[in-house]
Amino acid sequence: MNLFADIRSLVLDSLATLVSEGTLPDGLSLDAVTVEPPRDPAHGDMATNAAMVLAKPAKMKPRDIAEALAAKLADDTRIASAEVAGPGFLNLRLAPSVWQGVVGAVLQAGTAYGRSDMGRGSRVNVEYVSANPTGPLHVGHTRGAVFGDALASLLDYAGHDVTREYYINDGGAQVDVLARSVYLRYLEALGQEVAFEDGTYPGDYLIPVGEALAEAKGDAWVGQPEEVWLEEARSFATDAMMELIRTDLAALGVKMDVFFSEKSLYGTGRIEAAIEDLRAKGLIYRGVLEPPKGKTPEDWEPREQTLFRSTAHGDDVDRPIMKSDGGWTYFAPDIAYHYDKVSRGFDALIDVFGADHGGYVKRMKAAVSALSEGRVPLDIKLTQLVRLFKNGEPFKMSKRAGTFVTLRDVVDQVGPDVTRFVMLTRKNDAPLDFDFDKVLEQSRENPVFYVQYAHARVMSVLRRAAEAGIACDDATLAEADLGGLDHEAELAVARKLAEWPRLVETAARTNEPHRVAFYLYELAGDFHALWNRGNDVHGLRFIQEGDAAASQSKMALARAVSVVISAGLGILGVTPAQEMR
RNA sequence: GCACCCAUAGCUCAGCUGGAUAGAGUGUCGCCCUCCGAAGGCGAAGGUCGUAGGUUCGAAUCCUACUGGGUGCGCCA
């Protein structure tokens, strides 16, 4: 149920009636007609711009249309009043019974209340994290992981068929570096003195991997050249790293559907097939690129290379797909990977990258556009930096200084729920401040606490009502008489609940899960406001002494709030708090 | 030099993909707890939405040009 959609249908029906009566001309396009909540609640519950959008095509004055429409709408029992305002807005006030109906609808549907079938039939692939398998995930990955996971859940909630995917960069030179580093740890485990030079990973996390290798291999690789051990060490090490990464992700509550290996593209003809597809479209050629203007590298010299004509699909320059030594550039397997995604039949692709990969957006979009011949849209969401603070003081991450902060550090310190919520309290393309102390503070300025507290309050009042012998299970509340919910503070909460389905669709359409977090904060705010009014106005308390029926109607509202909070937190991957400690 | 992202209250940020007098938190100021739901509550002040044009009934939102900040820019992934 989406109240805004319902009322919009009503407006469209009324307009159709006006057409059939000859008040409005035939053949008007009604696409631009919207029904939305006005910014200023004093303007009513909903407003439609119908009169203004139709004025020009209908060759009528906006106010004339608005008045005719108002008269029609007033016939509907749901409409308490319809007033023409401003340049031709039609402000609608809905009967209290409509808002009470929203509460009933929430309780009937449960956490499915805001589900949408907007994405019905649409298969979406969300690729996120995709960190190199060379070490543990750090805070930057954490944001991408949370964002991607919440986005995937949001799209699922909006009716899409979602696949969560991780691309393992296990095919490039960095995994050779990993293998050599692990080899050093292997020697170390066998008692040798080793030195970690530039171009190796000195992290402690490789020590157990080296030990495991020593356990498995004994001294068979000691003193042997790379040809003997490199390949096996590589696969042993990447497996170990992926195990580590999977464990980290699990600690955060992230579970992928597919782990896609870059390595699986090599030596199997899959890269060649993707490039061949582009070649058949006339998009592969040999050529020489212009040096970048303004900042010419000292060692620049013109060189002929194999290029992808990405400019034919919106990129700024064509991109090399082959190195001068004949090997593929990193871009080639990326193309092949997206070719694979396209051929798996997805209707839309989403990539979540760190902001430092912003330079690859255009070329990836160009590749997907070319490979799918424009059929499959690729949206790339960039997550900005996370700035870390401790007690208001910023601190820099440095591997050397040992202040490198991993995903695991964050989760272990503040827990997965807080981590996830906080990561979504900012738009993905805005930098995020993460203060280890403030995120645990119990105050209004901390949205995590504020939302959880609202949910816990509902749970608490339900428990107390049950102790007082008032039936307040969901089935009972769903059938409760809600006629008594007519106070302004109560209706405000119901109005907020009515916005939920609409918000889900907007958030899903824009691929912006942070909207859910902000909505929950607002809903919690309205609920806390109502709760606080109970201090002065005893008639607004949820438990009405000696009046089970009144208590039940009020607790139906409270329960509806907790259901929507629960649904929203579910999308964010956060567990609703049953009580605060 | 080019591309992408960002610029909204003193501070941190929302703004529902073009709607009315631009919102919230925090900070500032003024009220409110001997008691019943204060890990607080009510109210006030605070803005040329970076600048200048344009599109139209209507712009923080779309377009153009600037200013300032971030990111990236052939054979590293």
Side-chain angles (χ1 to χ4, degrees), chain A residues 452-453 455-457 459 569 575-580:
Chain A
Q452 290 284 33
Y453 187 30
H455 188 271
R457 271 184 158 170
M459 294 300 109
L569 288 179
T575 310
Q578 301 302 309
E579 57 184 336
M580 304 304 291

Side-chain angles (χ1 to χ4, degrees), chain A residues 379-514:
Chain A
D379 190 12
I380 299 184
K381 306 299 276 188
L382 303 177
T383 54
Q384 264 290 351
L385 295 179
V386 177
R387 292 184 297 226
L388 295 170
F389 292 81
K390 214 162 181 102
N391 248 324
E393 293 295 315
F395 68 91
K396 289 238 168 77
M397 276 211 310
S398 159
K399 279 185 183 173
R400 210 168 285 174
T403 56
F404 184 76
V405 179
T406 65
L407 177 149
R408 207 46 191 266
D409 293 336
V410 178
V411 172
D412 286 350
Q413 272 193 51
V414 307
D417 288 335
V418 169
T419 304
R420 294 183 64 119
F421 197 105
V422 172
M423 289 288 172
L424 292 164
T425 53
R426 212 96 310 173
K427 275 185 296 201
N428 60 289
D429 51 10
L432 171 87
D433 291 348
F434 190 99
D435 191 308
F436 282 94
D437 300 297
K438 286 192 175 161
V439 298
L440 294 176
E441 240 168 51
Q442 302 201 337
S443 72
R444 171 162 198 171
E445 37 183 320
N446 181 358
V448 194
F449 164 76
Y450 201 61
V451 171
Q452 290 284 33
Y453 187 30
H455 188 271
R457 271 184 158 170
V458 175
M459 294 300 109
S460 158
V461 80
L462 288 173
R463 282 192 297 267
R464 282 176 41 200
E467 285 163 13
I470 302 168
C472 52
D473 55 286
D474 284 354
T476 304
L477 294 182
E479 299 300 325
D481 174 14
L482 303 173
L485 293 175
D486 55 2
H487 190 282
E488 192 44 43
E490 292 168 334
L491 294 179
V493 173
R495 283 192 197 96
K496 205 66 184 175
L497 294 172
E499 286 177 28
W500 172 240
R502 189 168 177 274
L503 181 116
V504 168
E505 295 197 347
T506 303
R509 189 166 0 96
T510 52
N511 293 331
E512 293 182 338
H514 76 274

Side-chain angles (χ1 to χ4, degrees), chain A residues 126-131 137-152 164-166 249 252 254 256 350-356 381-386 407 419-420 422-424 426-430 432 513 572:
Chain A
V126 185
E127 180 207 330
Y128 55 108
V129 193
S130 295
L137 300 174
H138 57 71
V139 270
H141 297 129
T142 309
R143 187 172 184 187
V146 171
F147 175 85
D149 204 52
L151 174 57
R164 298 156 197 256
E165 193 152 322
Y166 184 121
L249 289 176
L252 188 61
V254 173
M256 297 287 172
I350 299 174
D351 289 353
V352 179
F353 293 162
D356 55 341
K381 306 299 276 188
L382 303 177
T383 54
Q384 264 290 351
L385 295 179
V386 177
L407 177 149
T419 304
R420 294 183 64 119
V422 172
M423 289 288 172
L424 292 164
R426 212 96 310 173
K427 275 185 296 201
N428 60 289
D429 51 10
L432 171 87
L572 307 185

